[in-house]
């Protein structure tokens, strides 16, 4: 699910092409695919996952208004897509780099306990 989550902001880059209403709606629908991520998270930690997702989205929206006033809506939406994609990619790389350490610890625990 991590690669899909990283790709959800890429449709915003399409706003550089100055899409009309139909194209803009299509791009926004494509960027809403993060719902697949939410459905893929097991029910128990889903609340934490949603809280994190909404917090990050809200933090990203805070500078959007001033950015749109400074550089225009199209440039602000495109910039948000590019910056968000880069941030997600960096977080994904960090998560993958930390995963083998956890897995090796888990294997060691299983070996020590005989499970």
């Amino acid at each position: 699910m991590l690669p899909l989550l990283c790709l959800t902001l890429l449709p915003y880059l399409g706003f550089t092409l100055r899409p009309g209403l139909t194209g803009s709606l299509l791009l926004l629908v494509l960027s809403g695919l993060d719902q697949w991520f939410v459905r893929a998270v097991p029910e128990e930690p889903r609340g934490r996952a949603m809280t994190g997702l909404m917090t990050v989205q809200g933090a990203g929206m805070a500078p959007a208004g001033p950015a749109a006033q400074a550089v225009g809506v199209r440039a602000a939406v495109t910039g948000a897509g590019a910056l968000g994609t880069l941030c997600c990619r960096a977080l994904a790389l960090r998560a993958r780099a930390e995963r083998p350490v956890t897995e090796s610890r888990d294997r060691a625990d299983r070996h020590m306990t005989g499970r």
Side-chain angles (χ1 to χ4, degrees), residues 57-73 75-77 80:
Q57 288 173 339
M61 290 303 296
Q69 286 182 332
V71 298
V73 174
V77 170

Side-chain angles (χ1 to χ4, degrees), residues 10 14 19 22-24 30-31 35 42 53-54 57 67 77 82 112 114:
L10 280 179
T22 304
S24 295
L30 288 173
S31 69
Q35 292 305 309
L53 184 61
M54 291 185 326
Q57 288 173 339
V77 170
M112 291 175 70

Side-chain angles (χ1 to χ4, degrees), residues 15-16 18 63-81 83:
F15 281 87
T16 59
R18 298 179 182 207
Q69 286 182 332
V71 298
V73 174
R74 187 178 62 251
V77 170
T78 303
L83 184 60

